[in-house]
Amino acid sequence: VNSATQITANVTVAIGATTGSRNITITNSDSQQGVCSSCFTVNAAPSVSSIAATSSYQTATNVSTTVNGSNFVNGAVVSFSGTGITVTTTTFVNASQLIASVNISTSAATGTRDVVVTNSDGGVGTGTNIFTVNNGPILYTTLDNLASVTSPARGTGTGASVTTAPANDFLAAKIGSGIRVDAGSEYARLQETDGTTKNVNLSKGTVEFWLQPTYAHTDGSRHALFSLGTWASAGSITVMKDSGVNPLIVSVWNSSSTFLSQMTSVPSTNYSWSAGQWKKIRFNWDFTVAPGVRNSRIYIDDVEPTMGNMSSGTIPMTAESASQYIYINARGTADTPGNGTGNAIIDEFRVFDYPW
């Protein structure tokens, strides 16, 4: 009892309590009672049925994921079990859908997590083990500045360098800063390996980054996005927007230096971007698969467009080499305007040793 006009009570609502309004009764020590009719309401607890995306990886930032369920209210908050996952915002869409923006730390434990929704009235709903944290990239450079290339957040920076004009041409980008390549013979590069630490597995993996081109995808010129190894060298993989009819292509030279031109490609009619538009690019490959099984895919903003060419089966690749480099926004050191020059800002460059 706080005063003659105020009482504080701690209330527990059972899981199976009937929803709806309730009366509150106060009984004094002399047995006199007062009743407040329908002045307390038992609400339905939220429930969580599913989430999309169902997984992400260590070091991921600004991951937008939709939580589905029921009985959500405006002001509901999403959280995850365990440590290492931070929800930066929760947006109420309607009573059955919330959107959460998530960051996953580099040290977050891998494995499944519960997704928890807490309503503003304290009601809690849990989706058990419906989100998975996967291993992070073996190479991760934020591309914020020169130091982020020579000392990447993950991987080795041994032998890494940046060649741009002006020097160290890092500009405001999707997250922090990114590197701009807009002239011939410009690039950022990191060794495939320093002999101990690998930055790439040429047989299988994933490359993901943000791209802001200075050109429309139908400009008729060739623009490199990245190359694992110098263009045309044995064991190299190059992804670029090609000239002519403007397909987005993957070209590979296998361990015998056989050129597999446009082994995977997306026709210009099946993708698009405009100058200055940010696009998330993801390419994955597994050159160890059996004959008849697709070995590579391209995603734009997490959606796989309809392909033109689709490669399948095993492709023998060379071992990773300290004398070969991962080129960002380039195919090598000798690209020329209209024939390889990136003409874009690239940000948040990651390389994984598994396809996803």
Side-chain angles (χ1 to χ4, degrees), residues 10 31 40 46 66 81 90 114 133 173 177 202 217 237 239 243 247 252 259 300 323 330 351:
N10 292 321
S31 299
F40 182 81
T66 300
S81 63
T90 301
D114 298 344
V133 177
S177 297
L202 293 175
H217 80 292
I237 306 169
V239 176
S243 55
V252 174
F259 180 34
I300 301 174
S323 63
V351 181

Side-chain angles (χ1 to χ4, degrees), residues 125-146:
T126 301
T128 304
N129 294 336
I130 62 173
F131 185 81
T132 301
V133 177
N134 294 320
N135 285 325
I138 57 173
L139 172 64
Y140 170 39
T141 170
T142 62
L143 294 176
D144 283 340
N145 48 39
L146 177 61

Side-chain angles (χ1 to χ4, degrees), residues 22-39:
R22 304 293 182 92
N23 298 339
I24 295 179
T25 302
I26 303 296
T27 304
N28 280 345
S29 56
D30 61 2
S31 299
Q32 295 187 77
Q33 292 184 330
V35 178
C36 178
S37 298
S38 301
C39 60

